[in-house]
């Protein structure tokens, strides 16, 4: 499985997030209470940028900046309307101090 480098681990302090471009899409990578999580940067409601919205690190969810749908960072499932379909999530690992995201079909 291919992994892409995101950033050094020291750049992911508590409550931090970054967006990385992979091929034709982007992925948001979050430090949610010490757990590194990655989510597709595409709201399933209208295909708008999801990871540019606010996010709640205590709740591990991101809020779409266009229409306010909340998504669970662990599962990608929507937590509020108008979104009804989940978005992709990606496995995150740390190797030799580098945060990496597993990408399959991106």
């Amino acid at each position: 499985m291919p992994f892409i480098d995101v950033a050094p681990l020291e750049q992911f302090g508590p409550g931090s997030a970054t967006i990385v471009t992979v091929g034709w899409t982007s992925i948001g990578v979050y430090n949610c209470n010490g757990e590194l999580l990655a989510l597709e940067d595409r709201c399933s409601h209208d295909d708008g940028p999801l990871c540019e919205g606010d996010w709640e690190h205590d709740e591990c969810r991101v809020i779409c900046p266009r229409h306010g749908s909340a998504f669970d960072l662990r599962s990608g499932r929507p937590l509020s309307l108008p979104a009804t379909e989940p978005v992709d999530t990606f496995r995150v690992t740390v190797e030799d101090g580098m945060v990496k995201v597993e990408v399959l079909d991106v």
Side-chain angles (χ1 to χ4, degrees), residues 1 3 36-38 89-93 100-103:
M1 311 295 163
F3 284 85
L36 295 173
L37 303 165
T89 58
F90 302 88
R91 189 165 71 111
V92 182
T93 64
K100 298 175 179 257
V101 174
E102 183 179 31
V103 293

Side-chain angles (χ1 to χ4, degrees), residues 21-33:
T21 301
V22 182
W24 54 270
T25 193
S26 296
I27 297 171
V29 183
Y30 300 84
N31 181 339
C32 187
N33 300 315

Side-chain angles (χ1 to χ4, degrees), residues 5-91:
D5 292 347
V6 176
L9 180 59
E10 64 260 9
Q11 291 183 17
F12 283 92
S16 64
T18 193
I19 299 173
V20 60
T21 301
V22 182
W24 54 270
T25 193
S26 296
I27 297 171
V29 183
Y30 300 84
N31 181 339
C32 187
N33 300 315
E35 183 179 6
L36 295 173
L37 303 165
L39 184 79
E40 179 182 15
D41 184 23
R42 180 195 62 82
C43 178
S44 61
H45 167 246
D46 72 353
D47 291 332
L50 177 59
C51 299
E52 293 174 16
D54 291 332
W55 74 287
E56 299 169 348
H57 65 275
D58 290 335
E59 301 293 324
C60 292
R61 65 185 193 165
V62 64
I63 312 298
C64 178
R66 288 192 179 175
H67 299 109
S69 288
F71 290 83
D72 182 275
L73 287 169
R74 290 182 183 96
S75 67
R77 72 180 175 87
L79 302 171
S80 63
L81 296 173
T84 59
E85 297 295 319
V87 296
D88 289 338
T89 58
F90 302 88
R91 189 165 71 111

